[in-house]
Amino acid sequence: MDMKNVSNLKFLIALALLTSIVSCKRSSNSSNVDSATGWKINDKNGGFQYNTSFKEQETPPGTAFIEGGTFTMGKVQDDPMHDWNNTPTQQHIQSFYMDETEVTNLNYLFYLDYLKRVYPPDDPNYALIYKGALPDTLVWRNRLGYNEMMTENYLRHPGYANYPVVGVSWIQAVEYANWRSNRVAEMSLQEAGYIKRDAQYTDLSAESTFDVDTYINAPTETYGGNSEVLEGGKRRQQTDADGNPINVYANRESGLIPVKYRLPTEAEWEYAALGMSELRSYNVYRGRKKYPWDGQYTRSGKRVNRGDQLANFKQGKGDYGGIAGWSDDGADITAEVKSYQPNDYGLYDMAGNVAEWVADVYRPIVDDEFNDFNYYRGNVYTKNALNEDGTVKIVTVDEIVYDTLSNGKIIARNLPGEIAKVPVDEEDTYLRTQFDKSDNRNFRDGDKRSSRYYRESFDEGDDRVNTTRKMYNSPDHKVEVDSTEGKLIREYDKSNNRTSLINDEVRVYKGGSWRDRAYWIDPAQRRYFPQDMATDYIGFRCAVSRVGSKSVKSQKKRN
């Protein structure tokens, strides 16, 4: 063999070896091969099923993306009210999504219509479900003002369809977010072919509803076990080598079940309201941005609309909109959503129009010593209730739990088709360092370990012997339902020893409203209100957590 042939042979051997190495490398890096074992993923003959082609979380309906980051929460400017309840702290927020606008009357009416169809108010079993979700339209009434037009029309008249819903309590807002989560997940699974198209119209009844937690934990119990709906999707047509259906039910690993809607935390809301996506100056970072727009004034400085108000708020005593036709903000009560320019995140009315509920329990101080990452006060940890055979417990019509609120209203705490929840117990908290009980609303601020908790001793004949005093000593009203006549029994707390209105049932609301002066539209301002009561100036919007990369940009850079 001449040298030329030897050279060619060596080249061919090297090429073959290189091809083999590349082939092996490609095989081990394949998205459908486990990099740790070399076993196949998504094998049609069985084995582990996982969405290896997942690229990006879809933007949930109605929301805008908020890229997370660090910011100064609270005020570093003058505080003329001397509240001292929003001292500045440095916080970091994870990326999330937030509704572009407040939830509107039309949005909420769609929710009410669903409840009315599924839980007919004329059925004694469900009468309190629909009634408990109704906004309080009487919030518009005033002893010395004529507002009956709003009382009768604001919620339902088409003229107010795209105005923010009001008269909704914090509890009602949370229930709406839960319902919305189920409807969006139901639509997502229909589009992905896991359940029958238009399944929500197949059998619209309390016994055959869709709940996302039930679908994940006990999919065969969804829709009341209606196999026609559960097996009617196009995915049912896919089979393995033996002809058995595969991918019958979606799970977390499929990436097709959307993240739930919820109320934003106070830190998320304030961060989103500031709209810092395009403004990275030192003053913005240090907390000196006063409004959702750039600048220190409430009027526009742009030539095309110079002098126009940038939000809907009360401009002075007896002045809710300005002089008609001149210097007018365009609204005397609430305004239609998107009436004003959005902030840099694309969010509308983060100042004025209506104030908004956020998820947090109110405390006068937000202390970053406890947590400076996704700060939130209000965690109550629960787990799925189990039957004796270990399966999850699904709520039936006879097991609906109703709560009587402090204002006498009765609401449903769970609905048929949902998984019953119970507080976490010692089995879940034993030797854990992050939490040691279910209810953490007053953790290190009002509980026994952190409050001014002491006993006063008096003479034995005194009723106040060994009286215990706590930091948040709020009124304790009693409201019960008479078991025989069904009437409410109200016992008002008339004690003279109460020192505060703050307790674990008051929630933060943010943003100022059409009733508020400009001072309150600063995103840093914070106030509180009982979670079971409503007003004509507090509405809400929903948020959704982001999964995966911090942003599209960071994901592309990593790839």
Side-chain angles (χ1 to χ4, degrees), residues 100-167:
E100 293 179 327
T101 72
E102 301 101 341
V103 172
T104 65
N105 286 319
L106 183 59
N107 296 146
Y108 204 86
L109 286 173
F110 190 83
Y111 165 55
L112 292 177
D113 179 72
Y114 179 92
L115 294 181
K116 195 171 185 177
R117 290 169 180 264
V118 177
Y119 312 104
D122 54 359
D123 187 329
N125 292 317
Y126 311 125
L128 295 176
I129 294 177
Y130 177 75
K131 186 176 180 181
L134 287 171
D136 184 1
T137 58
L138 300 184
V139 294
W140 290 104
R141 284 183 171 169
N142 187 301
R143 293 182 184 88
L144 296 176
Y146 181 75
N147 296 328
E148 289 306 291
M149 185 276 292
M150 275 89 78
T151 298
E152 296 172 358
N153 295 289
Y154 183 81
L155 174 64
R156 298 184 182 277
H157 196 284
Y160 291 115
N162 291 316
Y163 284 59
V165 66
V166 297

Side-chain angles (χ1 to χ4, degrees), residues 445-460:
D445 189 32
D447 62 357
K448 185 175 181 178
R449 291 176 294 180
S450 62
S451 61
R452 295 179 180 178
Y453 199 97
Y454 63 93
R455 296 180 181 276
E456 291 182 340
S457 298
F458 300 90
D459 295 335
E460 291 184 2

